[in-house]
Amino acid sequence: MTRTITIFDTTLRDGEQSPGASMNTAEKLRIATHLDTLGVDVIEAGFPASSPGDFEAVSRIADTVKNAEVAALCRATASDIDRAWEAIKNAAKPRIHTFIATSDIHLEYKLRMGRDEVVTRAVAAVTHARQYTENIEFSAEDGSRTDPEFLCRIFGEVIKAGATTVNLPDTVGYAVPDEFGELVRHVIAHTPGMENATLSVHCHNDLGLATANTLAAIVAGAGQAEVTINGIGERAGNTALEEVVMAIHTRPGTFPMDTHIDTTRIHATGRLVSSITGIMIQPNKAIVGANAFSHESGIHQDGMLKNPMTYEIMRPETVGLTTNKLVLGKLSGRFALRSRLEEMRYNLTEEELNTVFESFKALADRKKEIVDEDLEALVTDVILRSHEVYTLEYLHVTSGTTVFPMASVRLGINGKIKQGAFEGNGPIDAVFNTIAKIAGREPELLRFSIGALTGGTDAQGEVTVRMQEGDYVSLGRGADPDIITASAKAYINGLNRLEYFKSNPVTSCDVI
């Protein structure tokens, strides 16, 4: 009989731990609504005790999401659990997710606690959470390196206390598929009361095995997969939602199970997360990469023309790609724009549509044809940003073989206009120097990258910067047909994110 696997998405929590990938409340809310329509069963919205900003974001998501469960992560302490519940109490389907480390190396060097004390702490946490909701998940941090008998013991005790889901994380990405599958079988067979709870797995990709480990665990009997969009996450990332879902979808004989995911929304959701976080999807990334359905070899092209299944194991339309694109230009109206955005799974309010339409018309005056990637950039730049401290009002740059690069910039800073001019080693360096001087900031530029959203000389350039100021690191992103303007937008976006992080500091804490 076909099993339905619960898809637990942690893009907004673990995915946000990718260096520089932190998101503001408006951006998190937009992703959460996409995840809800994508069909994920559980959205882990964040870690409310970590910062006021994260608490606000989790609360807003809990108030908005209607279909998926909304989970809040918390350490195994009463104060964390109270804070988590306060954030999700208005959710249609709230879940408290509490955790504590269980491996001997974590117990000895990090917690400095014995096994009995850890079990007592875990049971107390679940018992405390039980006063708020019956939907409680417990995670054994570093579970893949935990003694299997102790793992069964602590899982049995928290299930007895009221946990309805127990999660076995491969926190450091150490596991390999065969042994991880065997560990799952052992836990299911030897945990008292396991029939009353769902076993979940949460894998990291340090050895490039996160998806393989997750699928092995599912085959072994795990009922929940914890994943992120595009596989983003701490260090080498997490299990990619799209890889697990499409493996199940494509190989039903190997994986006789299903999910609630609407696969036609996968591509749009992946692009949205990439646009907001500034983390580009590598071209050869499975399912959602730009080359995933591209064929250059003559032999491949010949086979594709005769029968697409000769070189494609899934149809592009299955994940939301289509070859039938509506071409938009300067003569296109608001209705055509709305229709295309709805096809791309963007459901904008009338006010948001009007804002995007104005920017669309301005772009269409400079670019002959507007393609999907341009629209995604517009929606991200125009709609997905919350209140910003810094805005670009004016930019003029002089550069060439006989002149010294100079930038003149006018910035809006909290609604007040400031301007100035400064030089640099090149036009972009001059722009960055001028913005920094006007803003009175001294961020260190850690990374600068440029890409084209589409082909052609009139393509929009997409610039991503990574910058650090003190203990804070942020990613900035900007898109524009003029690459210098795109660079200025990216730099200013990075400064705004730095400002947001400073206003919403994250408390240092251990996470699974």
Side-chain angles (χ1 to χ4, degrees), residues 180-192:
F180 197 59
E182 279 304 311
L183 179 58
V184 167
R185 290 186 184 92
H186 180 86
V187 168
I188 291 174
H190 296 90
T191 297

Side-chain angles (χ1 to χ4, degrees), residues 323-380:
T323 55
N324 300 317
K325 291 187 176 180
L326 178 66
V327 177
L328 297 175
K330 64 180 181 180
L331 299 179
S332 299
R334 185 179 276 96
F335 179 77
L337 176 63
R338 181 195 288 277
S339 297
R340 185 65 198 125
L341 289 173
E342 288 177 350
E343 288 177 17
M344 294 169 63
R345 312 300 186 185
Y346 290 112
N347 297 312
L348 306 184
T349 66
E350 197 65 33
E351 182 180 353
E352 289 173 335
L353 179 67
N354 291 338
T355 304
V356 172
F357 185 69
E358 290 180 10
S359 297
F360 162 75
K361 281 296 190 180
L363 178 61
D365 284 336
R366 295 182 288 165
K367 196 173 187 293
K368 185 177 179 180
E369 292 183 356
I370 308 298
V371 296
D372 289 356
E373 290 81 359
D374 296 317
L375 295 179
E376 287 169 345
L378 286 179
V379 172
T380 300

